[in-house]
Amino acid sequence: AQTVTQSQPEMSVQEAETVTLSCTYDTSESNYYLFWYKQPPSRQMILVIRQEAYKQQNATENRFSVNFQKAAKSFSLKISDSQLGDTAMYFCAFMIGGGATNKLIFGTGTLLAVQP
Amino acid sequence: NAGVTQTPKFQVLKTGQSMTLQCAQDMNHEYMSWYRQDPGMGLRLIHYSVGAGITDQGEVPNGYNVSRSTTEDFPLRLLSAAPSQTSVYFCASSRQGSGANVLTFGAGSRLTVL
């Protein structure tokens, strides 16, 4: 069975600074995908970034980037130049590849507060 | 383009009552799913469907029924609500294929069972 672990229940960062959220996962699969979702106070789930396990290059989306360490089964999210709008719950999630199903397995989340 | 629409957004039930959470998507997605979100537990999969007429159980299916008669709709039924089903429910959909299929989520439905 696959598991996703987020060991930081809460984090705080000053506006304009950089913060890294941790995520580790466990799987015996070789084909899979990893995601970070953001959930602001509005409750809407918003995709932040995704990574295909077969790609060695770390994914980036503007101020968001990941550090994907496949051997260590680690998938951390770095937010640069933090903004007040980044305040949200962040979820790391895992999906087995191959397309049989699109089941997402979520971690328990990290609540990020960006301080002015 | 409405995306994934969930109704109602809020609902209060008494123990033993039944209700249906509605989910509709207009993106012609084959895959649809229901999650529940509880404090400290992330989102957990209840049921999912890979196409009309096909449904399967997720991690926490007990107490919930689903059906998929059309591509667009995937209702979640609580036949006899229990306080343990107090939660926020999310419907999500995506294309079905071998790529990194990104799920699109609805806005969520907050259910309280007294």
Side-chain angles (χ1 to χ4, degrees), chain B residues 8-9 17 21 28-29 32 34-35 38-39 41 53 58 62 68 78 82 86-87 93 99 112-114:
Chain B
K9 287 187 167 48
Q17 287 184 320
L21 297 175
N28 203 28
H29 285 168
M32 296 186 75
W34 278 102
Y35 288 84
D38 301 296
M41 301 188 74
N62 292 341
R68 183 96 179 268
L78 286 71
T86 293
S87 188
S93 73
T112 301
V113 183
L114 303 175

PDB file of all heavy atoms in Angstrom, chain B residues 8-9 17 21 28-29 32 34-35 38-39 41 53 58 62 68 78 82 86-87 93 99 112-114:
ATOM      1  N   PRO B   8     -25.538  20.166  -1.963  1.00  0.00           N
ATOM      2  CA  PRO B   8     -25.481  21.540  -1.460  1.00  0.00           C
ATOM      3  C   PRO B   8     -24.093  21.874  -0.930  1.00  0.00           C
ATOM      4  O   PRO B   8     -23.253  20.992  -0.783  1.00  0.00           O
ATOM      5  CB  PRO B   8     -26.498  21.514  -0.319  1.00  0.00           C
ATOM      6  CG  PRO B   8     -26.383  20.120   0.230  1.00  0.00           C
ATOM      7  CD  PRO B   8     -26.134  19.242  -0.968  1.00  0.00           C
ATOM      8  N   LYS B   9     -23.834  23.114  -0.600  1.00  0.00           N
ATOM      9  CA  LYS B   9     -22.565  23.524  -0.005  1.00  0.00           C
ATOM     10  C   LYS B   9     -22.555  23.264   1.499  1.00  0.00           C
ATOM     11  O   LYS B   9     -21.498  23.013   2.077  1.00  0.00           O
ATOM     12  CB  LYS B   9     -22.293  24.997  -0.274  1.00  0.00           C
ATOM     13  CG  LYS B   9     -21.910  25.291  -1.712  1.00  0.00           C
ATOM     14  CD  LYS B   9     -21.493  26.719  -1.916  1.00  0.00           C
ATOM     15  CE  LYS B   9     -20.821  26.941  -3.264  1.00  0.00           C
ATOM     16  NZ  LYS B   9     -21.561  26.356  -4.390  1.00  0.00           N
ATOM     17  N   GLN B  17     -31.159  10.130   9.233  1.00  0.00           N
ATOM     18  CA  GLN B  17     -31.724  10.697   8.011  1.00  0.00           C
ATOM     19  C   GLN B  17     -30.870  10.300   6.802  1.00  0.00           C
ATOM     20  O   GLN B  17     -29.693   9.953   6.930  1.00  0.00           O
ATOM     21  CB  GLN B  17     -31.811  12.225   8.106  1.00  0.00           C
ATOM     22  CG  GLN B  17     -32.904  12.713   9.024  1.00  0.00           C
ATOM     23  CD  GLN B  17     -33.034  14.227   9.014  1.00  0.00           C
ATOM     24  OE1 GLN B  17     -32.042  14.968   8.988  1.00  0.00           O
ATOM     25  NE2 GLN B  17     -34.272  14.705   9.059  1.00  0.00           N
ATOM     26  N   LEU B  21     -25.595  13.863  -1.842  1.00  0.00           N
ATOM     27  CA  LEU B  21     -24.729  14.951  -2.296  1.00  0.00           C
ATOM     28  C   LEU B  21     -24.587  14.824  -3.805  1.00  0.00           C
ATOM     29  O   LEU B  21     -24.226  13.755  -4.320  1.00  0.00           O
ATOM     30  CB  LEU B  21     -23.355  14.868  -1.631  1.00  0.00           C
ATOM     31  CG  LEU B  21     -23.320  15.032  -0.109  1.00  0.00           C
ATOM     32  CD1 LEU B  21     -21.907  14.809   0.416  1.00  0.00           C
ATOM     33  CD2 LEU B  21     -23.827  16.405   0.296  1.00  0.00           C
ATOM     34  N   ASN B  28     -16.522  16.377 -19.669  1.00  0.00           N
ATOM     35  CA  ASN B  28     -16.519  15.069 -20.325  1.00  0.00           C
ATOM     36  C   ASN B  28     -15.442  14.146 -19.745  1.00  0.00           C
ATOM     37  O   ASN B  28     -14.836  13.341 -20.469  1.00  0.00           O
ATOM     38  CB  ASN B  28     -16.334  15.211 -21.846  1.00  0.00           C
ATOM     39  CG  ASN B  28     -16.875  14.009 -22.594  1.00  0.00           C
ATOM     40  OD1 ASN B  28     -17.798  13.334 -22.136  1.00  0.00           O
ATOM     41  ND2 ASN B  28     -16.284  13.703 -23.733  1.00  0.00           N
ATOM     42  N   HIS B  29     -15.212  14.289 -18.436  1.00  0.00           N
ATOM     43  CA  HIS B  29     -14.226  13.447 -17.765  1.00  0.00           C
ATOM     44  C   HIS B  29     -14.782  12.065 -17.514  1.00  0.00           C
ATOM     45  O   HIS B  29     -15.908  11.898 -17.048  1.00  0.00           O
ATOM     46  CB  HIS B  29     -13.819  14.081 -16.430  1.00  0.00           C
ATOM     47  CG  HIS B  29     -12.905  15.243 -16.575  1.00  0.00           C
ATOM     48  ND1 HIS B  29     -12.615  16.094 -15.522  1.00  0.00           N
ATOM     49  CD2 HIS B  29     -12.182  15.690 -17.623  1.00  0.00           C
ATOM     50  CE1 HIS B  29     -11.754  17.007 -15.929  1.00  0.00           C
ATOM     51  NE2 HIS B  29     -11.487  16.786 -17.199  1.00  0.00           N
ATOM     52  N   MET B  32     -14.466   9.979 -12.040  1.00  0.00           N
ATOM     53  CA  MET B  32     -15.045  10.817 -10.993  1.00  0.00           C
ATOM     54  C   MET B  32     -14.869  10.126  -9.653  1.00  0.00           C
ATOM     55  O   MET B  32     -14.819   8.886  -9.584  1.00  0.00           O
ATOM     56  CB  MET B  32     -16.526  11.100 -11.255  1.00  0.00           C
ATOM     57  CG  MET B  32     -16.764  11.910 -12.533  1.00  0.00           C
ATOM     58  SD  MET B  32     -18.473  12.413 -12.767  1.00  0.00           S
ATOM     59  CE  MET B  32     -18.616  13.746 -11.549  1.00  0.00           C
ATOM     60  N   TRP B  34     -15.220  10.631  -5.014  1.00  0.00           N
ATOM     61  CA  TRP B  34     -15.636  11.354  -3.811  1.00  0.00           C
ATOM     62  C   TRP B  34     -14.589  11.146  -2.722  1.00  0.00           C
ATOM     63  O   TRP B  34     -14.149  10.017  -2.467  1.00  0.00           O
ATOM     64  CB  TRP B  34     -16.977  10.834  -3.296  1.00  0.00           C
ATOM     65  CG  TRP B  34     -18.156  11.412  -4.004  1.00  0.00           C
ATOM     66  CD1 TRP B  34     -18.905  10.831  -4.974  1.00  0.00           C
ATOM     67  CD2 TRP B  34     -18.741  12.697  -3.761  1.00  0.00           C
ATOM     68  NE1 TRP B  34     -19.917  11.676  -5.360  1.00  0.00           N
ATOM     69  CE2 TRP B  34     -19.843  12.826  -4.637  1.00  0.00           C
ATOM     70  CE3 TRP B  34     -18.447  13.756  -2.889  1.00  0.00           C
ATOM     71  CZ2 TRP B  34     -20.644  13.970  -4.667  1.00  0.00           C
ATOM     72  CZ3 TRP B  34     -19.233  14.883  -2.917  1.00  0.00           C
ATOM     73  CH2 TRP B  34     -20.323  14.987  -3.800  1.00  0.00           C
ATOM     74  N   TYR B  35     -14.242  12.256  -2.048  1.00  0.00           N
ATOM     75  CA  TYR B  35     -13.329  12.240  -0.917  1.00  0.00           C
ATOM     76  C   TYR B  35     -14.035  12.878   0.282  1.00  0.00           C
ATOM     77  O   TYR B  35     -14.912  13.725   0.129  1.00  0.00           O
ATOM     78  CB  TYR B  35     -12.066  13.057  -1.202  1.00  0.00           C
ATOM     79  CG  TYR B  35     -11.117  12.423  -2.183  1.00  0.00           C
ATOM     80  CD1 TYR B  35     -11.295  12.559  -3.549  1.00  0.00           C
ATOM     81  CD2 TYR B  35     -10.017  11.690  -1.728  1.00  0.00           C
ATOM     82  CE1 TYR B  35     -10.412  11.971  -4.446  1.00  0.00           C
ATOM     83  CE2 TYR B  35      -9.124  11.105  -2.621  1.00  0.00           C
ATOM     84  CZ  TYR B  35      -9.338  11.256  -3.969  1.00  0.00           C
ATOM     85  OH  TYR B  35      -8.472  10.671  -4.851  1.00  0.00           O
ATOM     86  N   ASP B  38     -11.295  15.237   6.891  1.00  0.00           N
ATOM     87  CA  ASP B  38     -11.461  15.372   8.334  1.00  0.00           C
ATOM     88  C   ASP B  38     -10.204  15.999   8.922  1.00  0.00           C
ATOM     89  O   ASP B  38      -9.096  15.763   8.416  1.00  0.00           O
ATOM     90  CB  ASP B  38     -11.723  14.000   8.965  1.00  0.00           C
ATOM     91  CG  ASP B  38     -12.957  13.343   8.399  1.00  0.00           C
ATOM     92  OD1 ASP B  38     -14.044  13.895   8.600  1.00  0.00           O
ATOM     93  OD2 ASP B  38     -12.832  12.288   7.742  1.00  0.00           O
ATOM     94  N   PRO B  39     -10.335  16.757   9.987  1.00  0.00           N
ATOM     95  CA  PRO B  39      -9.159  17.424  10.584  1.00  0.00           C
ATOM     96  C   PRO B  39      -8.063  16.426  10.926  1.00  0.00           C
ATOM     97  O   PRO B  39      -8.315  15.388  11.544  1.00  0.00           O
ATOM     98  CB  PRO B  39      -9.748  18.067  11.842  1.00  0.00           C
ATOM     99  CG  PRO B  39     -11.189  18.262  11.535  1.00  0.00           C
ATOM    100  CD  PRO B  39     -11.579  17.086  10.679  1.00  0.00           C
ATOM    101  N   MET B  41      -6.491  14.442   9.054  1.00  0.00           N
ATOM    102  CA  MET B  41      -6.458  13.167   8.317  1.00  0.00           C
ATOM    103  C   MET B  41      -6.360  13.357   6.817  1.00  0.00           C
ATOM    104  O   MET B  41      -6.415  12.393   6.071  1.00  0.00           O
ATOM    105  CB  MET B  41      -7.692  12.340   8.655  1.00  0.00           C
ATOM    106  CG  MET B  41      -7.812  12.026  10.136  1.00  0.00           C
ATOM    107  SD  MET B  41      -9.120  10.881  10.509  1.00  0.00           S
ATOM    108  CE  MET B  41      -8.402   9.360   9.928  1.00  0.00           C
ATOM    109  N   GLY B  53     -21.712   3.557 -15.409  1.00  0.00           N
ATOM    110  CA  GLY B  53     -22.036   2.177 -15.087  1.00  0.00           C
ATOM    111  C   GLY B  53     -20.977   1.424 -14.315  1.00  0.00           C
ATOM    112  O   GLY B  53     -21.175   0.270 -13.933  1.00  0.00           O
ATOM    113  N   GLY B  58     -13.376   3.000  -2.430  1.00  0.00           N
ATOM    114  CA  GLY B  58     -12.094   3.562  -2.060  1.00  0.00           C
ATOM    115  C   GLY B  58     -11.684   3.094  -0.683  1.00  0.00           C
ATOM    116  O   GLY B  58     -11.993   1.965  -0.278  1.00  0.00           O
ATOM    117  N   ASN B  62     -17.710   2.599   3.749  1.00  0.00           N
ATOM    118  CA  ASN B  62     -18.850   2.174   4.564  1.00  0.00           C
ATOM    119  C   ASN B  62     -19.785   3.336   4.884  1.00  0.00           C
ATOM    120  O   ASN B  62     -19.366   4.396   5.331  1.00  0.00           O
ATOM    121  CB  ASN B  62     -18.348   1.527   5.858  1.00  0.00           C
ATOM    122  CG  ASN B  62     -17.648   0.215   5.604  1.00  0.00           C
ATOM    123  OD1 ASN B  62     -17.825  -0.389   4.554  1.00  0.00           O
ATOM    124  ND2 ASN B  62     -16.837  -0.221   6.546  1.00  0.00           N
ATOM    125  N   ARG B  68     -23.372   5.667 -11.168  1.00  0.00           N
ATOM    126  CA  ARG B  68     -22.910   6.518 -12.278  1.00  0.00           C
ATOM    127  C   ARG B  68     -23.717   6.144 -13.518  1.00  0.00           C
ATOM    128  O   ARG B  68     -23.326   5.300 -14.315  1.00  0.00           O
ATOM    129  CB  ARG B  68     -21.410   6.276 -12.520  1.00  0.00           C
ATOM    130  CG  ARG B  68     -20.819   7.181 -13.606  1.00  0.00           C
ATOM    131  CD  ARG B  68     -20.166   8.377 -13.046  1.00  0.00           C
ATOM    132  NE  ARG B  68     -19.574   9.236 -14.054  1.00  0.00           N
ATOM    133  CZ  ARG B  68     -18.309   9.148 -14.470  1.00  0.00           C
ATOM    134  NH1 ARG B  68     -17.512   8.196 -13.991  1.00  0.00           N
ATOM    135  NH2 ARG B  68     -17.852   9.975 -15.365  1.00  0.00           N
ATOM    136  N   LEU B  78     -26.017   8.999   1.378  1.00  0.00           N
ATOM    137  CA  LEU B  78     -25.918   8.539   2.745  1.00  0.00           C
ATOM    138  C   LEU B  78     -27.294   7.982   3.110  1.00  0.00           C
ATOM    139  O   LEU B  78     -28.282   8.724   3.144  1.00  0.00           O
ATOM    140  CB  LEU B  78     -25.557   9.682   3.700  1.00  0.00           C
ATOM    141  CG  LEU B  78     -24.120  10.206   3.686  1.00  0.00           C
ATOM    142  CD1 LEU B  78     -23.811  10.982   2.412  1.00  0.00           C
ATOM    143  CD2 LEU B  78     -23.878  11.086   4.911  1.00  0.00           C
ATOM    144  N   ALA B  82     -24.805   9.123  10.208  1.00  0.00           N
ATOM    145  CA  ALA B  82     -24.266   8.948  11.548  1.00  0.00           C
ATOM    146  C   ALA B  82     -23.356  10.126  11.871  1.00  0.00           C
ATOM    147  O   ALA B  82     -22.767  10.725  10.957  1.00  0.00           O
ATOM    148  CB  ALA B  82     -23.485   7.639  11.641  1.00  0.00           C
ATOM    149  N   THR B  86     -19.981  13.320   9.810  1.00  0.00           N
ATOM    150  CA  THR B  86     -19.744  14.765   9.807  1.00  0.00           C
ATOM    151  C   THR B  86     -18.375  15.027   9.206  1.00  0.00           C
ATOM    152  O   THR B  86     -17.358  14.520   9.698  1.00  0.00           O
ATOM    153  CB  THR B  86     -19.807  15.322  11.238  1.00  0.00           C
ATOM    154  OG1 THR B  86     -21.150  15.202  11.725  1.00  0.00           O
ATOM    155  CG2 THR B  86     -19.376  16.788  11.280  1.00  0.00           C
ATOM    156  N   SER B  87     -18.337  15.800   8.126  1.00  0.00           N
ATOM    157  CA  SER B  87     -17.097  15.974   7.386  1.00  0.00           C
ATOM    158  C   SER B  87     -17.320  16.996   6.274  1.00  0.00           C
ATOM    159  O   SER B  87     -18.427  17.482   6.064  1.00  0.00           O
ATOM    160  CB  SER B  87     -16.664  14.627   6.776  1.00  0.00           C
ATOM    161  OG  SER B  87     -15.374  14.709   6.213  1.00  0.00           O
ATOM    162  N   SER B  93     -12.906  15.141 -10.521  1.00  0.00           N
ATOM    163  CA  SER B  93     -12.976  14.422 -11.792  1.00  0.00           C
ATOM    164  C   SER B  93     -11.709  14.652 -12.596  1.00  0.00           C
ATOM    165  O   SER B  93     -10.956  15.606 -12.355  1.00  0.00           O
ATOM    166  CB  SER B  93     -14.194  14.879 -12.602  1.00  0.00           C
ATOM    167  OG  SER B  93     -13.992  16.183 -13.126  1.00  0.00           O
ATOM    168  N   GLY B  99      -1.483   9.314 -18.598  1.00  0.00           N
ATOM    169  CA  GLY B  99      -0.677  10.452 -18.190  1.00  0.00           C
ATOM    170  C   GLY B  99      -0.899  10.846 -16.748  1.00  0.00           C
ATOM    171  O   GLY B  99      -1.624  10.174 -16.020  1.00  0.00           O
ATOM    172  N   THR B 112     -22.964  18.232   8.467  1.00  0.00           N
ATOM    173  CA  THR B 112     -22.975  18.033   9.910  1.00  0.00           C
ATOM    174  C   THR B 112     -24.113  17.095  10.265  1.00  0.00           C
ATOM    175  O   THR B 112     -25.252  17.323   9.850  1.00  0.00           O
ATOM    176  CB  THR B 112     -23.167  19.365  10.657  1.00  0.00           C
ATOM    177  OG1 THR B 112     -22.105  20.259  10.298  1.00  0.00           O
ATOM    178  CG2 THR B 112     -23.154  19.152  12.167  1.00  0.00           C
ATOM    179  N   VAL B 113     -23.797  16.039  11.007  1.00  0.00           N
ATOM    180  CA  VAL B 113     -24.817  15.080  11.441  1.00  0.00           C
ATOM    181  C   VAL B 113     -24.947  15.180  12.964  1.00  0.00           C
ATOM    182  O   VAL B 113     -23.984  14.943  13.689  1.00  0.00           O
ATOM    183  CB  VAL B 113     -24.455  13.641  11.018  1.00  0.00           C
ATOM    184  CG1 VAL B 113     -25.577  12.680  11.436  1.00  0.00           C
ATOM    185  CG2 VAL B 113     -24.210  13.559   9.523  1.00  0.00           C
ATOM    186  N   LEU B 114     -26.123  15.540  13.410  1.00  0.00           N
ATOM    187  CA  LEU B 114     -26.356  15.741  14.846  1.00  0.00           C
ATOM    188  C   LEU B 114     -26.878  14.481  15.523  1.00  0.00           C
ATOM    189  O   LEU B 114     -27.509  13.639  14.868  1.00  0.00           O
ATOM    190  CB  LEU B 114     -27.348  16.886  15.040  1.00  0.00           C
ATOM    191  CG  LEU B 114     -26.924  18.231  14.412  1.00  0.00           C
ATOM    192  CD1 LEU B 114     -28.033  19.239  14.566  1.00  0.00           C
ATOM    193  CD2 LEU B 114     -25.627  18.718  15.041  1.00  0.00           C
TER     194      LEU B 114
END
